Amino acid sequence: EAGVTQSPTHLIKTRGQQATLRCSPISGHTSVYWYQQALGLGLQFLLWYDEGEERNRGNFPPRFSGRQFPNYSSELNVNALELEDSALYLCASSQAGQRNTGELFFGEGSRLTVL
Amino acid sequence: GQQLNQSPQSMFIQEGEDVSMNCTSSSIFNTWLWYKQEPGEGPVLLIALYKAGELTSNGRLTAQFGITRKDSFLNISASIPSDVGIYFCAGQRSGTSYGKLTFGQGTILTVHP
């Protein structure tokens, strides 16, 4: 069974540009979560999507947005990139019945570098 | 953003030694979890705890959910080289925090053969 897949693996952008990151959850999982992992820090919760709807949002500005598609895959968009947006962006998924357990399955992440 | 206080930040140990790390918070969590992240990989769940006072084992790993709901610890017995990685604690509340995990800063574990 394929795990959570993310693309691209690496992305380099300049300040002010937009970045789009993509995630495919494990087959059968309906919830998708996005976390930011900056160097030397733990993971910071960004967004949670379930059944196509945004269910919860972390303390990030509105230029961080996303969506979930009917096939449960998800996209994270970061507009007006700033240098401090440089980080590893991790996507995770969970089954519908597990979404309140904290048991997440993570992908390998997309490394975003903002120059 | 709010994070859990995880300690120690790093550990350098010899193979065969036992390891202990802990996580504390100023507020209550309903669920405590421990994840491990290896280089180039995403975090992988090791142990999940759902009840205050609960003690759970997974092979050489043992974790406990503090009775006050504000802390948790993870022990690794008889460490081996493949235990190397970053260990994260994470907590989850209910209500408006539904679906959101709060992570600690991580403990970097190095095991010398």
Side-chain angles (χ1 to χ4, degrees):
Chain A
E1 179 183 276
V4 175
T5 58
Q6 293 187 243
S7 64
T9 305
H10 293 89
L11 187 61
I12 300 175
K13 293 286 188 177
T14 57
R15 286 176 58 189
Q17 286 188 313
Q18 180 200 42
T20 298
L21 309 176
R22 297 178 177 84
C23 173
S24 292
I26 291 172
S27 177
H29 287 193
T30 60
S31 279
V32 170
Y33 310 78
W34 288 95
Y35 283 82
Q36 181 195 66
Q37 186 176 26
L39 194 63
L41 298 177
L43 285 71
Q44 301 286 333
F45 171 74
L46 268 164
L47 291 158
W48 169 35
Y49 291 96
D50 182 62
E51 297 287 351
E53 300 287 331
E54 182 181 301
R55 302 295 185 180
N56 206 343
R57 184 182 180 85
N59 296 324
F60 281 85
R63 57 191 186 83
F64 286 83
S65 65
R67 53 180 171 167
Q68 187 178 32
F69 299 100
N71 66 353
Y72 303 114
S73 67
S74 178
E75 185 175 275
L76 174 68
N77 296 296
V78 188
N79 294 318
L81 285 166
E82 300 178 1
L83 296 178
E84 52 264 36
D85 296 334
S86 295
L88 181 68
Y89 289 84
L90 290 160
C91 174
S93 71
S94 68
Q95 296 176 340
Q98 297 290 316
R99 55 179 175 261
N100 196 30
T101 66
E103 297 180 18
L104 304 184
F105 295 82
F106 283 89
E108 295 182 348
S110 292
R111 172 75 60 189
L112 173 63
T113 301
V114 182
L115 302 176
Chain B
Q2 179 186 12
Q3 285 192 315
L4 301 175
N5 298 312
Q6 186 173 347
S7 64
Q9 287 189 327
S10 61
M11 301 183 74
F12 298 84
I13 63 171
Q14 292 293 129
E15 183 176 359
E17 290 184 3
D18 296 343
V19 171
S20 184
M21 59 191 79
N22 68 79
C23 216
T24 60
S25 171
S26 58
S27 52
I28 289 172
F29 286 94
N30 295 321
T31 302
W32 282 92
L33 308 107
W34 288 89
Y35 283 85
K36 177 188 178 186
Q37 185 176 27
E38 298 184 17
E41 305 284 331
V44 174
L45 180 65
L46 298 174
I47 290 181
L49 303 152
Y50 299 107
K51 189 185 293 187
E54 179 181 357
L55 184 72
T56 297
S57 293
N58 178 8
R60 294 178 295 106
L61 277 61
T62 302
Q64 184 158 31
F65 189 147
I67 197 72
T68 65
R69 297 190 183 181
K70 294 182 179 180
D71 64 312
S72 177
F73 72 74
L74 175 70
N75 288 339
I76 305 173
S77 63
S79 59
I80 58 179
S82 62
D83 289 335
V84 165
I86 306 176
Y87 290 78
F88 291 100
C89 61
Q92 180 171 258
R93 300 187 183 89
S94 57
T96 57
S97 294
Y98 192 55
K100 168 187 174 182
L101 293 184
T102 300
F103 280 83
Q105 303 96 318
T107 295
I108 302 171
L109 179 63
T110 303
V111 180
H112 294 287

